[in-house]
Amino acid sequence: SVGRGSLLNYSLKVDNSGPQTAQGVVVTQAIPSNMQFNSASSSRACSQQGQNVRCTVGSLSASENSLLSVVFDVKNTAT
């Protein structure tokens, strides 16, 4: 379990299983209502946009993957 006031780390793996390079790859993750995005601890490619975290991966060659770290602060008011 994750306690109030602690950090929660999401690891997001993006795979290109297609035969060609994927261009302009972007991952969007909704921010849970009882959490706040922690930009200092997250991957540099990620930023908050409204109620979402947006991570810009860019290009992924065929069979390539990218691992993103998205960190949230669990609010002290979380239940």
Side-chain angles (χ1 to χ4, degrees):
S1 72
V2 178
R4 294 180 192 150
S6 62
L7 297 178
L8 177 65
N9 188 344
Y10 276 49
S11 293
L12 305 173
K13 184 180 178 186
V14 183
D15 289 304
N16 178 4
S17 56
Q20 298 177 347
T21 298
Q23 302 286 337
V25 178
V26 174
V27 176
T28 302
Q29 171 68 48
I31 300 173
S33 61
N34 57 351
M35 297 185 195
Q36 182 175 346
F37 176 61
N38 183 321
S39 61
S41 298
S42 296
S43 296
R44 292 185 319 187
C46 302
S47 62
Q48 183 171 346
Q49 292 190 343
Q51 295 301 311
N52 295 306
V53 175
R54 178 184 165 114
C55 301
T56 303
V57 177
S59 298
L60 281 177
S61 299
S63 301
E64 185 180 14
N65 64 60
S66 179
L67 187 62
L68 301 166
S69 176
V70 179
V71 180
F72 296 101
D73 295 313
V74 179
K75 294 180 180 178
N76 286 326
T77 58
T79 56

